[in-house]
Amino acid sequence: MSSEQLIREIGRSGVKASAVGLGTWAIGGWMWGGTDEPQSIAAIQASLDAGVTLIDTAPAYGLGRSEEIVGKAIAGRRDKAVIATKCGLVWHTRKGNHFFDQDGKPVHRHLGRDSIIHEVEESLRRLGTDYIDLYITHWQDATTQIEETVRSLEELKAAGKIRAIGASNVDRSELQQYISTGSLDAIQERFSMIDREIEAGLLPLTVQNGVSTLSYSSLALGLLSGTIEPDRVFSGDDQRKDNPRFSVANRQKAKAFSEAIRPVAERHEASIAQVVIAWTLARPGVTFGLCGARNPAQALDNARAGTLRLTAEELSAIDVALAAKLANMDG
């Protein structure tokens, strides 16, 4: 283990943050079986204390709940945090296309200028800040041209309300359009040991154009954390309850993989999750790894991954175990 957190720049924005980021979808409670606010605040503050500066949130995580909790956690220490939040999933308007319902409210995909201006003010209020470090379009809107969306984001940047521009859940054509504006600093996409589609489709473009990539679900919703046993029961609205990715057979494969890489973890006095996160950050083109935590213990465990430096031989051994134990995972 190194004593220093790995720090990287968000695109060419000049904004720097810890390579390990705290993802706060679960902290919002929705699709995660509720939330414990005091524990969530403690998790965020423990992350900051451990040198994890990148905190990722979104209005859609509990219809503003996650942002509100982040705002409470960073009060008095805003200068220690690099806040990423999002726009484009809205419930204040019916413009755009309906995406899903949350708590009885229809949520639409919409990235028009007026909506973005409204959203950024709401996020600033909930977060208790006057600027957002990285503002990301959460899901893309087929009813609004990307050029219009980017012009709106550039306007916010010129006004000092945001410092960097990002896009999430894009296909290759959408990414090319964002890049062509010259304003894109980062993308945020699902990536893990078992979700690697962007390696062929998106990462070559981001690397070529100096765009950072934030991976979400770096631990595959916890499946790769080394802590989910095959007999665990998920309850309430926890999305993993009916997710085929979390079948008993898949959890057995994940457990076998954990045992296969345990020697690497023990060599560094690290957890399985830390090794998985460090592997993720070593992948070409992956700049930041977002990892969820709902209590200080989980937050600190994730944070230590930012100080773990795997050797080329260890990375190769992990790849061998990955191919042997996690191949053909259903879901």
Side-chain angles (χ1 to χ4, degrees):
M1 289 278 187
S2 166
S3 60
E4 298 293 329
Q5 282 286 340
L6 182 61
I7 304 295
R8 290 173 171 170
E9 184 176 359
I10 300 174
R12 299 189 178 100
S13 68
V15 180
K16 295 183 178 181
S18 58
V20 171
L22 175 64
T24 66
W25 180 12
I27 280 173
W30 176 61
M31 295 183 73
W32 287 92
T35 190
D36 181 324
E37 182 173 312
Q39 282 288 290
S40 297
I41 290 173
I44 296 167
Q45 294 177 340
S47 295
L48 293 174
D49 291 340
V52 170
T53 59
L54 179 59
I55 311 294
D56 177 80
T57 185
Y61 301 163
L63 298 180
R65 186 75 176 122
S66 176
E67 285 188 329
E68 290 171 350
I69 291 173
V70 170
K72 291 178 182 179
I74 65 172
R77 51 171 75 186
R78 175 65 181 91
D79 61 326
K80 304 297 183 184
V82 177
I83 301 298
T85 194
K86 307 176 186 74
C87 59
L89 294 187
V90 299
W91 57 93
H92 70 280
T93 179
R94 299 295 178 92
K95 292 182 179 179
N97 292 325
H98 178 262
F99 195 20
F100 56 79
D101 290 338
Q102 184 177 164
D103 294 341
K105 294 182 179 180
V107 176
H108 286 236
R109 296 191 195 187
H110 184 54
L111 287 166
R113 179 187 179 279
D114 291 347
S115 185
I116 289 175
I117 299 302
H118 171 85
E119 280 204 87
V120 77
E121 294 300 334
E122 289 295 291
S123 289
L124 290 170
R125 176 183 59 80
R126 287 189 289 256
L127 290 164
T129 185
D130 56 4
Y131 69 95
I132 292 162
D133 297 285
L134 174 60
Y135 203 42
I136 304 166
T137 56
H138 200 161
W139 284 85
Q140 301 313 304
D141 167 23
T143 70
T144 304
Q145 293 294 314
I146 286 174
E147 291 79 4
E148 175 188 338
T149 296
V150 173
R151 282 197 301 270
S152 304
L153 297 173
E154 290 170 339
E155 183 181 332
L156 293 178
K157 188 174 181 181
K161 297 197 178 210
I162 67 174
R163 300 176 66 199
I165 293 171
S168 186
N169 300 303
V170 295
D171 61 27
R172 187 176 175 88
S173 173
E174 291 164 341
L175 175 57
Q176 289 172 322
Q177 291 177 66
Y178 272 103
I179 289 173
S180 70
T181 69
S183 295
L184 185 69
D185 296 299
I187 61 170
Q188 184 177 138
E189 301 292 330
R190 185 175 76 161
F191 179 82
S192 73
M193 288 178 165
I194 52 178
D195 297 297
R196 299 173 63 174
E197 294 81 4
I198 67 170
E199 286 186 318
L202 302 184
L203 293 187
L205 280 175
T206 59
V207 170
Q208 180 181 350
N209 290 279
V211 174
S212 292
T213 296
L214 292 73
S215 73
Y216 70 78
S217 291
S218 304
L219 294 172
L221 303 179
L223 183 61
L224 301 176
S225 66
T227 62
I228 295 181
E229 296 294 330
D231 60 352
R232 177 167 169 180
V233 176
F234 299 103
S235 59
D237 72 343
D238 192 317
Q239 62 179 302
R240 295 170 293 184
K241 181 171 64 175
D242 300 313
N243 188 336
R245 174 64 65 78
F246 284 81
S247 67
V248 172
N250 281 349
R251 282 185 269 169
Q252 289 172 335
K253 288 181 180 181
K255 186 173 180 61
F257 171 72
S258 296
E259 293 307 313
I261 66 170
R262 192 168 299 281
V264 176
E266 291 176 345
R267 193 175 304 129
H268 291 276
E269 298 182 346
S271 69
I272 297 300
Q274 289 163 11
V275 172
V276 172
I277 296 166
W279 176 93
T280 302
L281 293 175
R283 298 305 300 169
V286 177
T287 323
F288 302 93
L290 302 176
C291 310
R294 304 182 74 176
N295 58 59
Q298 292 173 351
L300 291 174
D301 192 73
N302 292 343
R304 291 190 72 225
T307 67
L308 175 56
R309 309 290 189 262
L310 298 172
T311 67
E313 292 76 12
E314 288 169 336
L315 290 169
S316 178
I318 293 168
D319 286 339
V320 170
L322 178 59
K325 304 298 183 182
L326 293 183
N328 302 315
M329 183 170 280
D330 298 329

